[in-house]
Amino acid sequence: MMAKFTLFSVDDHVIEAPHTWVSRLPAKLRERGPRLVSNPDDEYWIFDGERVKPQGVEASAGKKPEEFTMGHVRYDDMRPGFYDAKARLVDMDEDGVRAQVLFPSGIPRICGKRFFDAPDKELGLACIRAWNDYILEEWYGAAPDRYVPLAIVPMWDPQLCAEEIRRTAALGTRGITFSEGPHLLGFPSIHDPHWDPVWEAVIETDLAVCLHIGSSGQSLAPLPGGPTAPSVVMIPLYASVACSELLFSPLFNRWPDLRFVMSEGGIGWVPYTLERSEYTWHRHRFWTGDVGVAQPLDVFKRNIWVCFIADHVGMRDRDLIGTDKIMWEGDYPHTDSTWPNSQSSVADHVKGCTDQEVAQVTHANAEQVFRFPISP
Amino acid sequence: MMAKFTLFSVDDHVIEAPHTWVSRLPAKLRERGPRLVSNPDDEYWIFDGERVKPQGVEASAGKKPEEFTMGHVRYDDMRPGFYDAKARLVDMDEDGVRAQVLFPSGIPRICGKRFFDAPDKELGLACIRAWNDYILEEWYGAAPDRYVPLAIVPMWDPQLCAEEIRRTAALGTRGITFSEGPHLLGFPSIHDPHWDPVWEAVIETDLAVCLHIGSSGQSLAPLPGGPTAPSVVMIPLYASVACSELLFSPLFNRWPDLRFVMSEGGIGWVPYTLERSEYTWHRHRFWTGDVGVAQPLDVFKRNIWVCFIADHVGMRDRDLIGTDKIMWEGDYPHTDSTWPNSQSSVADHVKGCTDQEVAQVTHANAEQVFRFPISP
């Protein structure tokens, strides 16, 4: 297939292969790291005594909406591209996608939270390192021009984070998947100088900082007697909250060159949030005591990028966001994945865009943000 | 002044006069109802043993942003229009505002929560009735062509709510100020048939149901070490959540004619929320189990109205919202109040609108929603 658009997807997920940890953890931790238990009646991951089952909604690409399920999906019933780097390249070619940024699945959770929660920090850190090595060796290693590796970091210790950032960056990692709301995971807030060792390492290694939806652990539960759909509508809600925190954050006074990516956050809410942030800056910063902070729009232009899968409103208002700030993502293999119709989905979203705008949104911004040139 | 626009503001607040409750409560409850204690050193309301002080941000109209304050403001230092119906008419004339919908201040709280929380329900109910009578007698009574009375309702008992709705509607009340998130106040969710007596009374009396921001008690607290401004940016956040709950709610199957108003919720987020709700309906309603629900856009068109004070993004995207769904509000006398520049603020927002669109947004929609004709 001749792909019309050069697509660089800034948010996709690996379903970790069953051997990911057992083949990497030191012998004394191997039995306690995540391993897949598979028998004819059941299949599940077990980690430090706890069972975890991959959900159908995590492994849905190519299915019809009527077939999506919260139920368990076995590896044998998944497309190999979900968990195998070489098989995924075939799927990417079919979809006309040149590059993918790789996030974890629900086993580590989106920023590695399952390993932060491990009472044994030695085990947690070993599992984090094993995941990062798995991505670098088996995915990035298989196609260093197609797979953009991210690292998860041991958020309970900023110095350890910095070490893991430097270690993985040296091997090819282009960004970290951090939390959109560290305080909601029990850590100091994103504004706190506590995180300075992380930012120092990120700046030194020139990595992007991805804040994926769900990485604060915040989500709306369906109300008793009510529909479930609103909780799906509102999944990106906290992205706008996290963005507004960044727009006024003192952290950029110390680290003006940080690159934050609001992964899977959508873009249609951005013009409203920017207008309301500017309005708040002009009208309310005196009584709120935020007199000295930078103007939010300047922070946005310099430090924040936003991403969409399906968001016509945001693309219509692209002049209010800036086409240099918008990146496309495919979310393979989750339920929102556009596979195998990414080319037509993007075509539908960039109608009326100039060639330069199309280039920015489909790949050029991503190339810059992730320092990952793909253009011929 | 010849006002260019006929302005019908759908959200303003009374600062209750000191005599509001003491002049109305039965003798045995009078000492326990809200009363103002005023001495040279201090001034505060006291209710059932608890002290409450009106905040400067509630009483700010006409001040410069540099003068807004969270500190206490005494009645003697307020403009009389904040708490006096006749004085306010002068302010409204100066501002070119024909009509105002009247919400409570922080004494009752936005949907009357302070009275729901009273352990003595007889006292709570008496305070609610007194507030409703105060609005009807002293405000609506002073200018029945200018003041649009709302009622607060005793949410702990739907039958009592229905009685108060019928009692006040007979006296001129045009809507109720309900909670955008009843479940967050400890009641059943908005979807629950528990509320059917309320909806039955609202339909019978043809009232609007206002869901004002803050009426769920949900707000973002400033983060430790972080700025306060993001919590101001995000004040309307729950309006979008409440709206998405309504868009999928089964309550409209039973009550298809309800009119919900997202008071002070803003409008710039609406196109995004509508697109994402439609997307969710098409793509996710199968696995979420919401197969039979109505399409969200149809619900929005029929049952929901949205409001703005300052929101250029939303007005730019008015074709995606529908100018029949947008209403202007002045928020007098809070910090966001446009007084005394409402005419120029509206002029700035309706640039490029047709005459019909201007009429809809400035007054015609409000006349219909609140059954309160003011033209010409």
Side-chain angles (χ1 to χ4, degrees):
Chain A
M1 184 183 85
M2 273 297 290
K4 180 173 177 192
F5 303 107
T6 304
L7 294 185
F8 186 139
S9 168
V10 297
D11 170 25
D12 302 276
H13 299 263
V14 299
I15 308 285
E16 292 79 7
H19 66 268
T20 299
W21 287 275
V22 290
S23 68
R24 285 183 174 80
L25 289 177
K28 65 171 182 171
L29 297 173
R30 195 163 300 153
E31 281 300 297
R32 294 171 54 210
R35 60 197 164 81
L36 192 72
V37 176
S38 192
N39 59 53
D41 298 329
D42 203 1
E43 187 178 83
Y44 51 87
W45 284 83
I46 191 158
F47 171 57
D48 213 16
E50 189 192 354
R51 289 186 187 195
V52 188
K53 294 190 177 191
Q55 293 177 321
V57 289
E58 285 193 291
S60 294
K63 289 195 191 301
K64 293 178 193 159
E66 293 85 344
E67 299 167 334
F68 297 165
T69 169
M70 282 295 281
H72 175 46
V73 176
R74 297 180 69 111
Y75 277 78
D76 280 352
D77 296 327
M78 295 183 199
R79 289 186 67 82
F82 295 3
Y83 54 81
D84 180 84
K86 286 202 166 53
R88 181 172 300 201
L89 292 173
V90 178
D91 284 356
M92 289 167 68
D93 287 342
E94 183 180 343
D95 200 24
V97 169
R98 287 284 300 276
Q100 285 190 347
V101 175
L102 300 178
F103 284 83
S105 78
I107 306 307
R109 307 187 75 166
I110 205 72
C111 63
K113 181 174 185 295
R114 195 175 306 277
F115 301 137
F116 312 160
D117 293 343
D120 179 345
K121 295 305 173 201
E122 183 189 8
L123 175 64
L125 182 60
C127 289
I128 286 171
R129 286 182 174 153
W131 189 87
N132 292 338
D133 289 341
Y134 165 68
I135 295 297
L136 285 163
E137 292 163 9
E138 300 195 28
W139 293 79
Y140 183 60
D145 57 334
R146 307 288 297 274
Y147 292 127
V148 184
L150 296 184
I152 51 179
V153 294
M155 284 186 66
W156 65 86
D157 183 332
Q159 288 295 347
L160 283 180
C161 289
E163 284 172 29
E164 188 63 4
I165 288 165
R166 292 187 174 98
R167 184 185 79 83
T168 55
L171 299 169
T173 291
R174 298 302 208 285
I176 62 172
T177 167
F178 200 69
S179 171
E180 60 182 3
H183 62 291
L184 296 163
L185 303 182
F187 304 121
S189 87
I190 195 116
H191 310 290
D192 199 294
H194 172 84
W195 300 110
D196 279 356
V198 176
W199 311 141
E200 185 178 15
V202 158
I203 291 294
E204 179 191 308
T205 55
D206 206 17
L207 298 199
V209 181
C210 297
L211 306 182
H212 193 288
I213 58 166
S215 59
S216 59
Q218 295 293 293
S219 63
L220 288 175
L223 302 183
T228 297
S231 62
V232 178
V233 173
M234 289 291 143
I235 286 173
L237 185 72
Y238 201 81
S240 66
V241 176
C243 183
S244 77
E245 290 288 348
L246 288 176
L247 291 175
F248 290 90
S249 184
L251 82 84
F252 297 111
N253 295 339
R254 301 189 303 281
W255 308 100
D257 297 324
L258 286 173
R259 303 191 302 281
F260 281 97
V261 179
M262 310 305 296
S263 308
E264 205 174 333
I267 59 176
W269 52 267
V270 174
Y272 168 76
T273 300
L274 291 178
E275 179 180 3
R276 193 155 163 86
S277 295
E278 284 285 305
Y279 172 87
T280 299
W281 188 87
H282 284 287
R283 193 169 181 92
H284 294 292
R285 77 183 188 281
F286 304 100
W287 72 264
T288 62
D290 300 307
V291 179
V293 302
Q295 220 164 319
L297 201 52
D298 293 335
V299 173
F300 183 76
K301 285 178 182 167
R302 191 183 57 188
N303 299 108
I304 298 172
W305 283 260
V306 290
C307 317
F308 77 95
I309 304 166
D311 197 323
H312 292 85
V313 169
M315 281 304 290
R316 185 175 114 138
D317 284 342
R318 63 190 179 276
D319 62 314
L320 299 175
I321 304 171
T323 48
D324 56 330
K325 310 305 297 185
I326 300 172
M327 302 190 285
W328 174 79
E329 56 164 288
D331 202 28
Y332 180 98
H334 287 185
T335 49
D336 283 330
S337 172
T338 47
W339 189 89
N341 304 309
S342 296
Q343 288 282 329
S344 62
S345 180
V346 169
D348 193 38
H349 279 81
V350 300
K351 271 182 198 151
C353 289
T354 65
D355 288 349
Q356 191 203 354
E357 288 176 333
V358 171
Q360 287 176 311
V361 167
T362 55
H363 63 278
N365 297 337
E367 289 182 284
Q368 282 203 306
V369 169
F370 291 98
R371 310 301 198 223
F372 195 96
I374 58 164
S375 297
Chain B
M1 184 182 87
M2 274 297 291
K4 181 174 178 192
F5 303 107
T6 303
L7 295 185
F8 185 140
S9 169
V10 297
D11 170 25
D12 302 276
H13 299 264
V14 299
I15 308 286
E16 293 79 8
H19 65 270
T20 300
W21 287 275
V22 289
S23 68
R24 286 182 173 80
L25 289 178
K28 67 170 181 172
L29 297 173
R30 196 162 300 155
E31 281 299 298
R32 293 171 56 209
R35 59 194 164 84
L36 191 72
V37 176
S38 190
N39 59 52
D41 298 330
D42 204 1
E43 188 179 81
Y44 51 87
W45 284 83
I46 191 157
F47 172 56
D48 213 15
E50 191 191 351
R51 290 187 187 196
V52 188
K53 296 190 178 192
Q55 292 177 324
V57 290
E58 284 194 290
S60 293
K63 288 195 192 302
K64 294 178 192 156
E66 293 84 345
E67 299 166 337
F68 296 165
T69 170
M70 282 294 280
H72 175 45
V73 176
R74 298 180 69 109
Y75 278 76
D76 281 352
D77 297 327
M78 295 183 197
R79 289 185 66 82
F82 294 4
Y83 54 82
D84 180 84
K86 287 202 167 53
R88 182 172 299 199
L89 291 173
V90 178
D91 284 356
M92 289 166 68
D93 287 343
E94 182 180 342
D95 201 24
V97 169
R98 286 286 301 275
Q100 286 190 347
V101 175
L102 300 179
F103 283 83
S105 78
I107 307 305
R109 306 187 76 166
I110 205 71
C111 64
K113 181 175 186 293
R114 195 174 306 278
F115 302 136
F116 313 160
D117 293 344
D120 179 347
K121 294 306 173 201
E122 183 190 7
L123 175 64
L125 182 59
C127 289
I128 285 171
R129 286 183 174 152
W131 189 88
N132 292 338
D133 288 341
Y134 165 68
I135 295 297
L136 286 162
E137 292 162 9
E138 301 195 26
W139 292 78
Y140 182 59
D145 57 334
R146 308 287 297 274
Y147 292 128
V148 185
L150 296 183
I152 52 179
V153 294
M155 286 186 66
W156 65 85
D157 183 332
Q159 287 296 346
L160 283 180
C161 289
E163 284 172 29
E164 188 63 3
I165 288 165
R166 291 188 175 97
R167 184 185 79 82
T168 55
L171 299 170
T173 290
R174 298 303 208 284
I176 62 171
T177 168
F178 200 69
S179 172
E180 62 183 3
H183 62 291
L184 295 163
L185 303 182
F187 304 120
S189 87
I190 195 113
H191 310 290
D192 199 296
H194 173 83
W195 300 109
D196 279 356
V198 176
W199 311 141
E200 185 178 15
V202 157
I203 290 295
E204 180 190 308
T205 55
D206 205 16
L207 299 198
V209 181
C210 296
L211 306 181
H212 194 287
I213 57 167
S215 60
S216 59
Q218 294 293 294
S219 63
L220 288 176
L223 301 182
T228 298
S231 62
V232 178
V233 173
M234 288 291 142
I235 286 173
L237 185 72
Y238 201 81
S240 66
V241 176
C243 183
S244 77
E245 291 287 348
L246 288 177
L247 292 174
F248 290 90
S249 183
L251 81 86
F252 297 111
N253 295 339
R254 301 190 301 282
W255 309 101
D257 297 323
L258 286 173
R259 305 192 301 282
F260 281 98
V261 179
M262 310 306 295
S263 309
E264 206 175 333
I267 59 176
W269 52 267
V270 173
Y272 168 75
T273 300
L274 290 177
E275 178 179 3
R276 192 155 164 87
S277 295
E278 285 284 305
Y279 171 87
T280 299
W281 188 87
H282 284 287
R283 193 169 181 94
H284 293 293
R285 76 182 188 280
F286 304 100
W287 72 264
T288 63
D290 300 305
V291 179
V293 301
Q295 221 164 317
L297 201 52
D298 294 334
V299 173
F300 183 76
K301 285 179 183 167
R302 191 184 55 188
N303 299 108
I304 299 173
W305 283 261
V306 290
C307 317
F308 77 96
I309 304 166
D311 197 324
H312 292 86
V313 169
M315 281 304 290
R316 185 174 114 138
D317 284 342
R318 63 190 179 276
D319 62 312
L320 297 174
I321 303 171
T323 48
D324 56 330
K325 310 304 297 185
I326 300 172
M327 302 190 284
W328 174 78
E329 56 164 286
D331 201 28
Y332 180 100
H334 287 185
T335 50
D336 283 330
S337 171
T338 46
W339 188 88
N341 305 309
S342 296
Q343 288 281 330
S344 62
S345 180
V346 169
D348 193 40
H349 279 82
V350 300
K351 271 182 197 150
C353 288
T354 65
D355 288 349
Q356 190 204 353
E357 288 177 332
V358 172
Q360 287 176 311
V361 168
T362 55
H363 62 278
N365 297 336
E367 288 181 285
Q368 283 204 304
V369 169
F370 290 98
R371 311 301 198 222
F372 194 96
I374 57 164
S375 302

